[in-house]
């Protein structure tokens, strides 16, 4: 019920009247004035009630009078009356009907009561009611009331004391509340605050404010032990109470001080100096310098602890509310606080200081303000940092300094540590149950500190700061300070982190909403400064506590603090502190002193910075080695050097979980610290023996070497959980942003690098953690694989190159799994539309090719095989990469790898050619080629050549599609090239792209054609020429140009070069046990086969495609080059090659100049395509290409808008230049190969073989057909040189049995046949040719005659020694001269035949052919029996006879021209040499043979008698003379004396002599002397004969005389008989002749014989005597010469 309601008023009036009545009753006797006053009061009240409507106001106005009776009642000092009056006054007060004056009176009255010590409690009550119910009391009245309460506080009565204290507190509060209310009322018009006014000048303050001001000022005065200004009448005051009051005002009314300058001034000028002054004894105090009480200089005896504690409370309030006003002062207070934590301060002081610090720590906003006000200002104390560091130092000091103020060490704190025996005092007790009880505690280096629960997290509930009733310093239980400090640390971390994170979140929201946050930069700075200031101290303390903690919950809290700090630093981007906290967690996860460089390098950076806190160094403490933990696992450390085992404790595992938690929840802010985290996890995983499984997840596995990992069951159950968390950790990487993901990948990579470093040079099991996790991370981030692919795969590629096989294997496993997964993943957009990603995914597969290790390549190729099998159809742009991988084979890789790669290629060629872009076909060709070129596995090489054939078939079948696609591509490329201003760079550029494809195929086959292995070369060569033959029709005409020059000729060059430089060493066996035929047992011989094949192939192409090739501009040049190749092959020192070259030469000479394409005389069959390849290509008819290729060729031709151009009908292309070029090649070849070696009889000199020379010469007739028209004498001479040279070449002795007939058979070798055939062709051509050609006859004769000479004088081949075939040994390298006799004889026959035809030709006459024939024949004729073959001279004679029978008539006709003059002497010599040969017949010559030979001689003489002598007048005289002399010589026996008696008759050649003589005589006395010339012959003949007879007779007589009794030799006897017979014959002839025909001289000579004949009469031989008788008989007619004769003689 309201006090103003009518009922309340009515009640008040009634009560007042009742009170007055009671008063009047009480005072009736003793105090009559009081009674009267009371009664008049009743009347007064009634009057007021009657007169006024507003009774209360009226009452208030008259309150002095109304109150007066009651005041008087109090004045009686009667307890009963006093109590009644006070109650009444209180009732009035509560109805607020007391005026200011009345109130003053009341207070005065109360003051008197107080001084009299009456009703003290009631007084306090009344004052309280008065001051709380209304605001009428001000100024002195108020101060008096307050003093009254203070005075009551210091009475002896305890109850009064306490009540008064409470009242004072309330009154003080009321004063300030009034001021606050007043401020509220006057909020609208604030008082004008003047400048820094004097503290006494309070004129500007409103009344309530002024009261408050005066009160506060006096409180300060009192605490400072000075006289008050306003509270007059104070007698006594305690500092503790004053401080409490100050604290409550400051705490409850901070607004007053902040809003009013006067109050702020008080704070600055009075409160702070006061506090600082009061603190001074504490500051100076050192432990043990004296008792607490004496150190306090307080005016009143006051203990030290209460003031100190209250001061700290005041300071807490000041800091909390007024740090903004008192920046400097707070700095001092905080510094003091920090100092009180010093180890030298008393224990209780440190405890209350820690509590104060804790109070600050739970106010993060306050801490932030400190940071802004101090730490961030220049030249200011780093207060915030110092607070944190002080806490840290404090905690450290508790471990280091044994506490003095604690319970003495004999008292044992409850609780027990595992390592009790190691410490200097036993700290274990047995719990009541007899078992060991453990209490939460910290233990470090022997110091054991229990942990108590001091306050609820987040509130600083102090124990000692609240002990306001304690005077003596309390004893602090052990561990209390530590527990508070620990809580403070945790609260600090929690507060700061949650505050900053809240604000960060707000800010992010604002940014998300799009509003630019201006304050962001500023607040970011503050946060960073806060973290930077506190992290070192925090870390030092937390690390130490973590190390010392023995309680799981405490450990959990510490770890959580470190974790939140790490995360916060991460979010703020403060790398160093973040890494430091993470390092701490990591270290704690690992066994103590575990060598993990990543951590220690980091720690080193930190511990170099030791932070100084007021002279104390805060070291970042490294974990103690002492283990007081529950060991749960034991395993191998992951180091490069083998060490012992290490143990893991439960705490390590707990830390590990925190680490996992950190990585899992705060992965996004870890950045570079991922490395620390992962390195630590790797080591833990290693120690726990987890090994990677499929997909990179870790499974518990046994360590491979060393003592096995030992795990307790506790951990065993944990392991799956841990490995699960580990996997989840990497799975959660899919939620990280890109940057964080990169950090994670980088960390894993560098971790892996370390593992690689460590695994170098050992075959120990490496740590595969990082690789496994890279794989796992890659697999879960497939959707954004692009951003991490490069670093991920680049690193895995390095792993693949590692020497440690297990490491490599995992690298390869990871990379191939990623590639397969990447290709299989359903990307968005799909790979088919994202070419860049597709290539990116496949790229590492290609990069693997650079790794040399076979196992990696094996994995790579298996991966390719799998990719082909699963994604082969959709590889698209990835084909070049895949093919590149397949093709990256090298010879050093071993068979199995090459086999796997080849499987891939076979799969591609059989299944995927149609699915790949046509631009990749060229790569397929290259790859197939590279398999052909590898030398590990011959079968693969051969199979790959087969694949090339299949590929070429594919090109052929899909020519149009491929052409179209390639041309589109080409157009794009050209466009790009134009845009860049470059030229298009691709092989064989000008050719159309489809043709280029073929060219690449040919080029690749060309490379294979020069492979070192003969089988490959052979196969490639056959394939290449077959494809060109089968599919060449598809090529455009200009492309043929490239085929000829870049493919065929290039190949020929290479083969020629290799062949000429090939090794001549013998190859023992062809690998395995294959025997090699002797014709292939050197590299040179094997290359020879290749050369043969290649040259034949090219020649065949020239042959079959000549029509096409001739349309190319430089066909002639190509022809020349081909001829050059043929020439060099022909001149090669290898018989097989040289012979084959000539075959090719022959082949290209059979070319027909085409009139129409269809007339070409070739079928596919003629191209020597291997039968296997023939099956699918049945030739439809000679010279027709396949119908399908025909149409295709036409279609392609139309596409390139060129029709195959046929020459106009009948107009043949002029080929003569080609043929003359061929002729000069033939000539050069012939010259070179028949030129004898320059050196002496070198056994190693190269001599061309007979078949080769034969083939060479056999080419001439074919060639001659083409060049006949222009063939000149000069050419003929060249031909002659070669023919001569070829015939002169000897044979090596090992070839002789095959070429030479047995010596006795007179057979020509095929070479000699060929030579004669060549001449024959020529001769026939001349015969039918024009007149001009016939001048060549003499040259032909000359050539043939040279050959004829060979019969007697075989040609010399340089300076080579040749042996007769009979003397040559078959197996020695000797040269055997051929038997030239048959050849020479055949040549001679040819000469005779030819001469018979051509004797009358002008040229033959002019060039003295007959003379040359005679000159040539003279040699065999002269040698006669000395000839190598008997047949030779016989043939020579018969030939001579034949020739002369034709030639002599011609010679006689031409006698006048003198053209034959020189012939006659030659002829004479020839006759003479033959008829009177110097050679003797062989001893074994039979008589029949001799007679045959004599008959030949007789034939010659008969020729002379029939063909020469009858025509003596046409013949030179000397010649006739010579003939006569010859006949003469022949007519007399002139045989040697070598015959046996028995044979002499025959051997004397009597028949011959007789014929000679008769001829002589016949021509001596011929009656038909028609010319003087003839007579001259006769005379000459007679003179010769007579002279000869004279000589013989003389000699006979001489011999007869000398011989005495001995008979003369038979031959001489025969001779003389013959002469005598001749004389008688002569005499008969002379008698028969006309006398005028006989010369006088002749008679004289005949008569001169007579004496000689007479002398012979003495001879003893009967035969001689009878002959003599006959000879002497005719002389009787000369005894009387006839007269006419004499007369004639006269005349």
């Amino acid at each position: 019920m309201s006090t103003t309601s009518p009922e309340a008023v009515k009640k008040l009036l009634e009560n007042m009247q009742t009170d007055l009545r009671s008063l009047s009753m009480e005072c009736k006797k003793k105090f009559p004035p009081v009674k009267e006053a009371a009664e008049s009061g009743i009347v007064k009240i009634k009057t007021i009630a009657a007169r006024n409507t507003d009774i209360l106001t009226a009452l208030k106005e008259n309150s002095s009078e109304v109150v007066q009776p009651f005041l008087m009642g109090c004045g009686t000092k009667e307890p009963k009356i006093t109590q009644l009056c006070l109650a009444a006054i209180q009732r009035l007060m509560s109805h607020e009907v007391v005026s200011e004056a009345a109130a003053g009176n009341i207070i005065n009255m109360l003051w008197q009561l107080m001084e009299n010590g009456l009703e003290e409690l009631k007084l306090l009550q009344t004052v309280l009611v008065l001051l709380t119910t209304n605001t009428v009391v001000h100024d002195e009245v108020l101060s008096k009331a307050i003093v009254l309460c203070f005075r009551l506080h210091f009475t002896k009565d305890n109850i009064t004391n306490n009540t008064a204290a409470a009242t004072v507190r309330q009154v003080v509060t009321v004063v300030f509340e009034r001021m606050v209310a007043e401020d509220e009322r006057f909020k609208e018009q604030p008082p004008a605050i003047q400048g820094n006014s004097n503290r006494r000048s309070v004129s500007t303050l409103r009344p309530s404010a002024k009261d408050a001001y005066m009160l506060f000022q006096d409180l300060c005065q009192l605490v400072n032990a000075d006289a008050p200004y306003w509270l007059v009448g104070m007698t006594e005051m305690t500092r503790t109470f004053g401080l409490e009051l100050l604290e409550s005002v400051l705490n409850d009314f901070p607004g007053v001080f902040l809003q009013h300058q006067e109050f702020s001034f008080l704070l600055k000028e009075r409160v702070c100096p006061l506090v600082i002054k009061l603190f001074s004894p504490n500051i100076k105090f050192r432990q043990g310098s004296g008792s607490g009480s004496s150190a306090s200089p307080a005016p009143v005896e006051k203990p030290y602890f209460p003031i100190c504690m209250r001061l700290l409370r005041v300071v807490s309030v000041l800091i909390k509310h007024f740090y903004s006003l008192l920046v400097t002062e707070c700095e001092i207070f905080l510094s003091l606080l920090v100092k009180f934590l010093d180890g030298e301060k008393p224990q209780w002081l440190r405890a209350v200081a820690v509590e104060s610090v804790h109070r600050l720590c739970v106010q993060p906003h306050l801490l932030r303000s400190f940071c802004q006000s101090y730490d961030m200002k220049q030249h200011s104390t780093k207060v915030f940092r110092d607070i944190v560091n002080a806490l840290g130092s404090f905690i450290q000091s508790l471990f280091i300094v044994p506490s003095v103020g604690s319970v003495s060490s004999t008292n044992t704190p409850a609780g027990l540590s595992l390592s009790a025996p190691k410490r200097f005092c036993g700290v274990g007790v047995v719990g009541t149950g007899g078992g060991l009880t453990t209490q939460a505690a910290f233990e470090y280096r022997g110091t054991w500190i229990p942990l108590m629960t001091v306050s609820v997290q987040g509130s600083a509930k102090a124990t000692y700061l609240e002990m306001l009733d304690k005077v003596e310093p309390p004893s602090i239980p052990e561990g209390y300070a530590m527990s508070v400090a620990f809580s403070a640390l945790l609260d600090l971390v929690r507060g700061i982190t949650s505050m900053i994170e809240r604000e960060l979140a707000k800010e992010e929201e604002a940014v998300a909403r799009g509003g630019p946050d201006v304050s962001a930069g500023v607040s970011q700075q503050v946060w960073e400064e806060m973290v930077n200031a506190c992290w070192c101290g925090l870390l030092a303390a937390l690390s130490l506590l973590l190390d010392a903690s023995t309680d799981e919950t405490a450990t959990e809290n510490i770890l959580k603090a470190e974790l939140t700090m790490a995360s916060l630093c991460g979010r703020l981007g403060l790398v160093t502190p973040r890494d430091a906290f993470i390092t701490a967690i990591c270290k704690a996860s690992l066994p103590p002193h575990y060598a993990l460089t990543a951590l220690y390098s980091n720690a080193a950076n930190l511990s170099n910075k030791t932070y100084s806190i007021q002279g104390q160094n805060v070291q970042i403490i490294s974990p103690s080695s002492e283990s007081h933990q529950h060991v749960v696992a034991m395993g191998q450390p992951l180091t490069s050097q083998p060490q012992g085992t290490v143990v893991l404790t439960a705490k390590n595992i707990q830390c590990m979980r925190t680490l996992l938690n950190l990585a899992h929840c705060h992965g996004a802010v870890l950045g570079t610290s991922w490395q620390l985290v992962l390195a630590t996890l790797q080591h833990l995983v290693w120690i726990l023996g987890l090994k990677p499984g499929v997909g990179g997840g870790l499974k518990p596995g046994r360590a491979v070497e060393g003592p096995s990992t030992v795990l307790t069951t506790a951990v065993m159950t944990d392991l799956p959980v841990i490995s699960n968390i580990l996997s989840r950790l990497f799975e959660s990487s899919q939620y990280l942003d890109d940057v964080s993901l990169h950090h994670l990948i980088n960390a894993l990579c560098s971790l892996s690098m370390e593992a690689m470093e460590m695994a170098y040079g050992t075959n120990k099991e490496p740590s595969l953690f990082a690789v496994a996790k890279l794989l796992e991370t890659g697999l879960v981030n497939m959707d954004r694989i692009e951003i991490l692919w490069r670093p991920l795969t680049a690193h895995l590629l390095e792993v693949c190159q590692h020497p440690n096989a297990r490491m490599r294997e995992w690298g390869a496993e990871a990379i191939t799994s990623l590639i397969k997964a990447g290709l299989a993943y359903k990307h968005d957009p799909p790979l088919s539309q994202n070419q860049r990603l597709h290539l990116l995914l496949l790229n590492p597969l290609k990069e693997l090719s650079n790794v040399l290790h076979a196992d990696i390549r094996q994995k790579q190729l298996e991966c390719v095989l799998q990719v082909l099998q699963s994604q082969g159809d959709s590889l698209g742009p990835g084909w070049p990469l895949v093919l590149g991988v397949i093709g990256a084979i090298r010879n050093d890789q071993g068979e199995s790898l090459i086999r796997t790669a080849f499987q891939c290629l076979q799969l591609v060629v059989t299944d995927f050619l149609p699915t790949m872009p046509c631009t990749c076909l060229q790569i397929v060709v290259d790859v197939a080629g590279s398999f052909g070129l590898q030398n590990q596995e011959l079968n693969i090489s051969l199979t790959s050549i087969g694949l090339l054939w299949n590929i070429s078939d594919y090109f052929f079948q899909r020519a149009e599609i491929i052409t179209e696609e390639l041309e589109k591509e080409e157009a794009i490329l050209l466009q790009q090239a134009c845009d860049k201003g470059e030229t298009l760079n691709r092989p064989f550029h000008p050719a159309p792209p489809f043709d280029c494809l073929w060219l690449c195929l040919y080029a690749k086959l060309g490379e294979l054609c020069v492979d070192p292995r003969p089988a490959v070369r052979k196969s490639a060569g056959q394939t290449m020429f077959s494809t060109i033959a089968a599919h060449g029709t598809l090529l455009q005409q200009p492309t043929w140009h490239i085929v000829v020059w870049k493919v065929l000729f290039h190949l020929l060059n290479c083969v020629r070069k290799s062949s000429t430089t090939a090794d001549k060493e013998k190859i023992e066996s062809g690998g395995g046990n294959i025997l090699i035929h002797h014709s292939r047992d050197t590299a040179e011989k094997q290359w020879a086969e290749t050369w043969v094949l290649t040259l034949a192939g090219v020649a065949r192409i020239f042959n079959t495609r000549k029509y096409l090739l001739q349309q190319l501009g430089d066909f002639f040049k190509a022809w020349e080059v081909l001829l050059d190749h043929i020439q060099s092959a022909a001149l090669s020192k290898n018989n097989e090659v040289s012979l084959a070259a000539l075959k090719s030469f022959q082949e290209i000479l059979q070319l027909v100049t085409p009139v129409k394409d269809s007339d070409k005389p070739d079928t596919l069959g003629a191209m020597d395509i291997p039968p296997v390849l023939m099956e699918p290509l049945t030739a439809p008819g000679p010279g027709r290409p396949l119908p399908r290729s025909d149409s295709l060729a036409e279609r392609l031709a139309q596409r390139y808008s060129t029709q195959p151009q046929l020459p106009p009908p009948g107009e043949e292309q002029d080929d003569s230049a080609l043929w003359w070029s061929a002729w000069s090649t033939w000539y050069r070849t012939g010259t070179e190969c028949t030129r004898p070696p320059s050196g002496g009889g070198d056994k190693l000199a190269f001599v061309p073989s007979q078949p080769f020379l034969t083939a060479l010469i056999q080419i001439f007739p074919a060639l001659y057909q083409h060049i006949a028209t222009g063939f000149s004498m000069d050419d003929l001479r060249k031909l002659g040189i070669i023919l001569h040279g070829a015939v002169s070449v000897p044979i090596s002795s090992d070839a002789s049995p095959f070429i030479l007939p047995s010596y006795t058979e007179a057979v020509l070798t095929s070479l000699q046949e060929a030579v004669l055939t060549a001449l024959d062709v020529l001769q026939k051509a001349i015969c039918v040719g024009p007149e001009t050609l016939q001048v060549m006859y003499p040259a032909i004769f000359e050539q043939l005659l040279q050959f004829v000479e060979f019969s007697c004088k075989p040609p010399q081949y340089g300076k080579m020694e040749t042996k007769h075939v009979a003397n040559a040994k078959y197996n020695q390298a000797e040269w055997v001269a051929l038997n030239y006799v048959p050849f020479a004889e055949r040549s001679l026959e040819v000469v005779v035949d030819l001469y018979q035809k051509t004797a009358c030709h002008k040229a033959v006459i002019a060039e003295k052919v007959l003379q040359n024939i005679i000159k040539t024949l003279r040699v065999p004729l002269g040698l006669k029996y000395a000839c190598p073959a008997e047949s030779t001279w016989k043939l020579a004679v018969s030939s001579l006879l034949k020739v002369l029978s034709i030639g002599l008539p011609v010679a006689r006709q031409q006698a006048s021209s003198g053209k034959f003059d020189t012939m006659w002497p030659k002829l004479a010599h020839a006759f003479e040499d033959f008829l009177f040969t110097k050679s003797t017949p062989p001893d074994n010559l039979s008589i029949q043979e001799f007679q045959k030979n004599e008959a030949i001689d007789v034939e010659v003489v008969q020729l002379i008698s029939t063909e020469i002598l009858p025509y003596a007048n046409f013949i030179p005289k000397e010649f006739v003379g010579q003939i006569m002399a010859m006949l003469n010589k022949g007519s007399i026996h002139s045989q040697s004396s070598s015959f046996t008696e028995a044979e002499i008759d025959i051997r004397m050649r009597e028949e011959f002599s007789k014929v000679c003589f008769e001829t002589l005589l016949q021509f001596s006395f011929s009656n038909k002397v028609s010319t003087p010339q003839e007579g001259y012959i006769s005379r000459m003949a007679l003179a010769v004969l007579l002279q000869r007879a004279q000589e013989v007779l003389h000699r006979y007589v001489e011999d007869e005389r000398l011989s005495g009794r001995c008979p003369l030799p038979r031959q001489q006897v025969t001779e003389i008989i013959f002469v005598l017979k001749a004389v008688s014959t002569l005499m008969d002839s002379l008698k028969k002749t006309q006398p005028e025909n006989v010369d006088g001289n002749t008679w004289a000579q005949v008569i001169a014989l007579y004496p000689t004949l007479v002398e012979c009469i003495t001879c003893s031989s009967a035969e001689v005597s009878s002959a003599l008788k006959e000879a002497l008989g005719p002389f009787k007619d000369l005894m009387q010469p006839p007269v006419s004769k004499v007369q004639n003689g006269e005349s």
Side-chain angles (χ1 to χ4, degrees), residues 1293-1339:
S1293 55
D1294 26 2
S1296 60
F1298 307 105
I1299 291 171
L1300 289 187
S1302 56
Y1303 202 75
T1304 49
E1305 296 173 36
V1307 183
L1308 269 71
T1309 64
S1310 48
L1311 167 63
Q1312 295 165 346
E1313 291 268 19
V1315 168
L1316 292 174
T1317 313
L1319 285 171
D1320 186 48
V1321 167
L1322 249 170
Q1323 168 216 316
K1324 286 183 178 140
I1326 295 167
C1327 186
V1328 297
E1331 189 70 27
T1332 48
L1333 277 182
Q1334 301 186 350
V1335 293
M1336 295 186 186
Y1337 276 139

Side-chain angles (χ1 to χ4, degrees), residues 414-433:
L416 175 97
S417 157
L418 282 176
S419 54
K422 293 185 189 165
R423 285 198 312 287
F424 49 83
C425 59
V427 289
V429 293
V430 177
T432 46

Side-chain angles (χ1 to χ4, degrees), residues 944-1207:
S944 69
I945 293 172
L947 283 183
L948 283 170
W949 173 258
N950 297 351
I951 292 169
S952 78
D953 255 2
Y954 170 77
F955 290 172
F956 188 77
Q957 287 153 9
R958 297 174 65 102
E960 282 185 274
I961 303 168
I962 296 175
T963 310
E964 263 176 57
E965 196 174 323
L966 287 175
E967 294 206 329
K968 277 184 208 150
E969 189 65 30
E970 175 95 345
I972 296 168
L973 290 174
L974 267 171
Q975 186 57 48
Q976 288 171 355
C978 286
D979 296 348
K980 290 184 193 159
E982 299 165 359
T983 50
L984 184 59
N985 182 19
R986 68 167 166 77
F988 309 115
H989 170 46
F994 181 50
D995 286 13
C996 287
L997 199 51
W998 282 105
L999 289 170
C1000 290
L1001 178 71
Y1002 295 153
K1004 199 40 89 177
L1005 282 166
E1007 272 181 66
L1008 287 164
C1009 289
V1010 290
D1011 188 272
R1013 294 158 298 175
V1016 174
R1017 294 202 294 268
K1018 186 170 183 180
S1019 175
Q1022 288 171 341
T1023 305
M1024 174 163 164
F1025 292 118
S1026 305
T1027 48
I1028 294 180
H1031 307 140
T1033 44
L1034 295 186
L1035 298 179
Q1036 299 304 305
Q1037 193 178 330
T1039 309
W1040 270 99
H1041 185 270
I1042 303 176
V1043 172
V1044 170
W1045 290 100
K1046 301 258 177 74
V1047 179
L1048 300 178
F1049 285 158
H1050 174 67
L1051 173 60
L1052 272 174
N1053 284 330
C1054 297
V1055 172
R1056 169 162 69 184
K1057 190 170 162 203
S1058 302
S1059 299
T1060 44
T1061 55
D1063 195 359
K1064 301 179 176 56
E1065 282 295 302
K1066 190 167 179 196
I1067 303 167
E1068 285 310 321
S1069 78
N1073 305 322
I1074 306 167
L1075 295 174
I1076 295 186
H1077 188 265
H1078 67 81
S1079 65
R1080 292 279 173 268
D1081 62 0
T1082 70
E1084 187 187 23
K1085 291 177 184 173
Q1086 292 170 348
W1087 268 105
E1089 181 185 22
T1090 307
W1091 199 354
V1092 169
L1093 211 146
T1094 312
L1095 192 56
V1098 176
R1100 189 176 318 124
I1101 286 170
F1102 265 76
N1103 198 340
T1104 55
R1105 298 254 179 254
K1106 181 191 175 204
Y1107 161 61
L1108 205 156
L1109 297 177
Q1110 269 182 314
Q1111 293 169 14
L1112 303 178
D1114 50 5
F1115 178 67
F1116 180 66
K1117 192 169 148 205
W1119 176 262
E1120 297 254 73
V1121 174
L1122 176 61
L1123 288 172
D1124 174 59
H1125 276 289
I1126 288 178
Q1127 177 182 332
S1128 50
L1131 295 175
S1132 120
K1133 302 271 163 57
N1134 182 295
N1135 290 330
E1136 184 183 2
V1137 175
S1138 49
L1139 204 52
L1142 296 181
K1143 278 197 186 137
S1144 300
F1145 202 165
Q1146 268 170 325
E1147 184 168 2
I1148 63 169
L1149 289 176
Q1150 290 157 12
L1151 297 183
V1152 186
T1153 305
V1155 183
K1156 282 211 320 296
D1157 199 21
S1158 58
D1159 293 352
K1160 271 194 288 180
D1162 71 320
T1163 61
L1164 285 175
M1167 294 179 200
D1168 225 16
I1169 298 177
V1172 182
L1173 305 179
M1174 282 295 294
E1175 287 165 17
L1177 308 170
T1178 47
R1184 295 300 304 153
L1186 306 174
R1188 82 172 158 186
S1189 72
D1190 205 15
S1191 56
L1192 188 52
E1194 280 165 24
R1195 289 202 297 261
L1196 288 173
Q1198 284 157 13
R1199 182 174 196 92
Y1200 293 106
S1201 69
T1202 58
Q1203 281 300 322
Q1205 297 154 352
L1206 300 177

Side-chain angles (χ1 to χ4, degrees), residues 1479-1538:
S1479 61
T1480 52
D1483 300 344
N1484 58 356
L1485 194 69
S1486 68
I1487 290 168
Q1488 291 82 2
E1489 284 290 324
F1490 191 82
Q1491 285 169 338
K1492 273 187 201 158
N1493 293 354
E1494 189 179 351
I1496 292 171
D1497 297 349
V1498 170
E1499 260 182 78
V1500 174
V1501 177
Q1502 283 169 348
L1503 175 94
I1504 292 172
S1505 69
T1506 57
E1507 289 292 336
I1508 295 174
L1509 294 179
Y1511 309 104
N1513 39 357
F1514 299 108
I1515 293 170
K1517 270 203 177 93
E1518 308 89 84
F1519 173 68
V1520 175
Q1522 283 166 319
I1523 291 284
M1524 290 314 224
M1526 228 181 346
L1527 288 172
N1528 170 25
K1529 187 175 176 182
S1531 60
I1532 300 164
H1533 276 286
S1534 54
Q1535 289 311 68
S1536 64
S1537 55
S1538 65

